[in-house]
Amino acid sequence: MQQTHFDEKYPVYELTLQKSETTATSASEIISRLKANVDSHPIAAFIGLFDHFAHTKNLPEGEIAENIIAAQHIIFCFGVKLPSARVMAVRPRSIGVTEFADHFVVNFMEPPMPVATNAMESWVRALRDR
């Protein structure tokens, strides 16, 4: 898993996963596995799924790189405290899954909470199961 900064300001964790490295066969299957992790976590709450590919494809001005097959998000929250209104700016969390012909890219923005970071990182790393 690689840690980078998107646009020089957003801390992102990203894993490029060759299809030969996982038993998952599609972005939807990876999303289902991640949902199972969220559902079984003691403090995570599932919020929803978002098909970014379908949304963008249906926009008149939508543009998608021609090598992207699918792009989906799972959205959830780890919020155990609500100390101020400001924390709302960094919630909820999401993990994005982009599918290409021979690989997946799975990424998320680093949460400000180590428990969430550790859980999300372990969920993503576990996708490499071959």
Side-chain angles (χ1 to χ4, degrees):
M1 178 152 317
Q2 185 178 41
Q3 294 176 320
T4 62
H5 281 84
F6 175 68
D7 273 354
E8 299 179 16
K9 57 184 159 186
Y10 302 107
V12 172
Y13 282 67
E14 184 167 284
L15 177 70
T16 298
L17 184 63
Q18 297 301 315
K19 288 187 174 179
S20 62
E21 297 178 299
T22 182
T23 55
T25 60
S26 66
S28 294
E29 189 174 334
I30 289 177
I31 291 290
S32 292
R33 291 181 187 190
L34 294 171
K35 185 177 183 307
N37 292 132
V38 171
D39 289 344
S40 67
H41 195 278
I43 62 171
F46 175 73
I47 296 170
L49 303 175
F50 176 64
D51 188 331
H52 202 322
F53 186 94
H55 168 75
T56 304
K57 185 177 179 180
N58 289 325
L59 294 173
E61 67 278 8
E63 292 181 31
I64 301 172
E66 65 181 63
N67 58 343
I68 294 176
I69 296 170
Q72 300 177 29
H73 289 274
I74 180 168
I75 306 151
F76 50 94
C77 189
F78 282 97
V80 294
K81 295 180 183 177
L82 194 53
S84 71
R86 201 168 237 187
V87 76
M88 297 294 284
V90 296
R91 291 191 184 140
R93 309 289 353 139
S94 73
I95 298 176
V97 178
T98 307
E99 183 177 354
F100 299 85
D102 62 349
H103 69 283
F104 301 99
V105 174
V106 183
N107 50 25
F108 60 90
M109 192 162 72
E110 181 179 19
M113 184 177 166
V115 169
T117 304
N118 293 339
M120 293 167 72
E121 188 174 3
S122 71
W123 298 344
V124 171
R125 285 184 186 277
L127 297 169
R128 184 175 277 139
D129 59 1
R130 272 197 184 164

